[in-house]
């Protein structure tokens, strides 16, 4: 085997190691962008709308999607180059994080819908109570 082949194999091994490291770093950065569980669970709000607004803010995933995209990009590149000896752990971590981000975003969307709906319901209930009061006054 020539020296050039050994150098190429060594360089490929280094590149594969760096690629794995890039995937792992991007996954860690994505996890760091996710909301803390206490921020989603605890509240100091005085009313439902305050709770919902706080929860909606707490459910912001920040740049987690961008970091996940980077992880997927480097993972795909490494996988296609057959650079990883064992990539099952990375693939599982990417899938788990992708699902978690989707769940958090779905929850944020649902909270956003409630944030818009609850004041409308309150107003409709107030109107219904006022209408009932008007009817009682007419009698």
């Amino acid at each position: 085997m020539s020296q050039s082949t050994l150098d190429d194999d060594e360089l490929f091994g280094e590149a594969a190691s760096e690629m794995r490291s890039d995937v792992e770093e991007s996954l860690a950065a994505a996890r760091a962008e996710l909301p803390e569980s206490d921020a989603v669970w605890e509240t100091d709000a005085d009313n439902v709308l305050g709770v919902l607004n706080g929860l909606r803010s707490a459910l912001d995933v920040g740049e987690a999607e961008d970091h996940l995209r980077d992880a997927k990009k480097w993972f795909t590149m490494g996988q296609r180059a057959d650079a990883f000896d064992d990539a099952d752990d990375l693939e599982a971590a990417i899938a788990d994080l992708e699902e978690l981000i989707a769940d958090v975003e779905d929850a944020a969307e649902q909270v956003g819908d409630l944030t818009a709906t609850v004041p409308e319901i309150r107003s409709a209930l107030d109107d219904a109570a006022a209408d009932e009061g008007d009817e009682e006054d007419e009698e």
Side-chain angles (χ1 to χ4, degrees):
M1 192 177 280
S2 72
Q3 181 64 32
S4 175
T5 303
L6 288 175
D7 289 342
D8 289 348
D9 289 345
E10 188 176 312
L11 290 173
F12 185 80
E14 284 180 34
S17 178
E18 288 174 10
M19 216 173 285
R20 175 177 266 283
S21 179
D22 286 343
V23 172
E24 290 169 347
E25 287 173 12
S26 293
L27 288 171
R31 284 187 204 101
E33 287 289 323
L34 293 174
E36 293 185 21
S37 62
D38 286 347
V40 172
W41 190 253
E42 296 176 3
T43 186
D44 292 330
D46 295 330
N47 58 46
V48 172
L49 189 56
V51 169
L52 291 172
N53 282 327
L55 181 56
R56 185 176 52 187
S57 294
L59 290 171
D60 181 13
V61 296
E63 296 179 15
E65 283 184 299
D66 293 338
H67 294 298
L68 178 61
R69 181 177 170 78
D70 286 344
K72 289 171 71 173
K73 175 177 60 177
W74 289 114
F75 176 77
T76 301
M77 184 182 243
Q79 196 174 37
R80 287 188 181 164
D82 200 24
F84 303 129
D85 291 332
D86 180 20
D88 291 344
D89 61 327
L90 293 176
E91 191 169 22
I94 288 170
D96 290 347
L97 191 53
E98 192 169 35
E99 184 177 338
L100 179 56
I101 289 172
D103 289 347
V104 173
E105 287 178 329
D106 287 346
E109 187 176 320
Q110 291 173 14
V111 170
D113 291 345
L114 278 173
T115 301
T117 303
V118 167
E120 292 171 6
I121 291 172
R122 181 179 184 206
S123 179
L125 291 171
D126 286 344
D127 291 347
D131 289 346
E132 184 178 315
D134 290 344
E135 289 174 10
E136 287 177 6
D137 288 344
E138 289 177 8
E139 291 176 9

